[in-house]
Amino acid sequence: MGGEAPELSEQERAGKAFPVSWDQFHRDCRALTWRLNEVGPFHAVIAITRGGLVPAAIVARELGVRVIDTVCIASYDHTKQGDLQVLKGISEAAMKLGGGTGKGLLIVDDLVDTGKTGKLVREMLPDAHFATVYAKPKGRPLVDTFITEVSQDTWIFFPWDTALSYHPPLRDGAA
Ligand SMILES: O=P(O)(O)OC[C@H]1O[C@H](OP(=O)(O)OP(=O)(O)O)[C@H](O)[C@@H]1O
Ligand SMILES: O=c1[nH]c(=O)c2nc[nH]c2[nH]1
Ligand SMILES: [Mg+2]
């Protein structure tokens, strides 16, 4: 008997699902921009890839920012977080625009969860403004501006990771 219990993924631990449609995501990004418009102007947007690319494009479009750079970080293998890997750092040109500390730069990501990714980027650009569309409680203190908070035990499903599929009715045999 015995044997080790299988390690649960973030999603299995999370349990609750929060699916987000393209329409909802676009609206939430626009709402984020309304808040950011009070804080800017910004010299450039720094998208944390890959999840930050879509909100960064929408926010930059609304704010009229044309300089967009990326910091490429990977940590989740599907729903399980491993070590953070910086695959590409911030470009020299963007660093220069932020005076070396990120002043006047806007970092954008889709969400903060544990806050590990956000913390790493904040260390690279301590004076930048950090915005995410969604925030979970553990990562929330790292973010300057966000739109919706979801509980730590919720998994957010983004429209680029999902597809429409059949859902059986609640009552057995009702199909
Ligand atoms: O606050 P944390 O616990 O660090 O998690 C948040 C990060 O995790 C996801 O990225 P992921 O590493 O899965 O890569 P992706 O953006 O390429 O999907 C998400 O887009 C955030 O960047
Ligand atoms: O699609 C995702 N949904 C989440 O809730 C999450 N947390 C970390 N990384 C995540 N990716
Ligand atoms: Mg990401």
Side-chain angles (χ1 to χ4, degrees), residues 104-123:
L105 301 186
L106 174 65
I107 304 164
V108 176
D109 206 350
D110 50 359
L111 81 137
V112 273
D113 188 320
T114 63
K116 282 187 195 166
T117 307
K119 185 167 177 281
L120 186 65
V121 180
R122 288 225 84 134
E123 283 165 6

Side-chain angles (χ1 to χ4, degrees), residues 76 111 113 136 154-156 158 161:
Y76 285 82
L111 81 137
D113 188 320
K136 298 188 193 180
T154 292
W155 190 261
I156 303 167
F158 290 102
D161 284 334

Side-chain angles (χ1 to χ4, degrees), residues 36 39-47 63 65 67-69 90-108 121-122 124-131 144:
L36 293 171
V39 185
F42 299 103
H43 308 305
V45 169
I46 314 293
L63 293 179
V65 177
V67 181
I68 303 177
D69 192 22
I90 295 146
S91 76
E92 220 174 280
M95 271 299 197
K96 221 179 207 178
L97 281 174
T101 62
K103 199 165 169 47
L105 301 186
L106 174 65
I107 304 164
V108 176
V121 180
R122 288 225 84 134
M124 297 173 188
L125 299 168
D127 292 335
H129 191 92
F130 183 30
D144 296 305

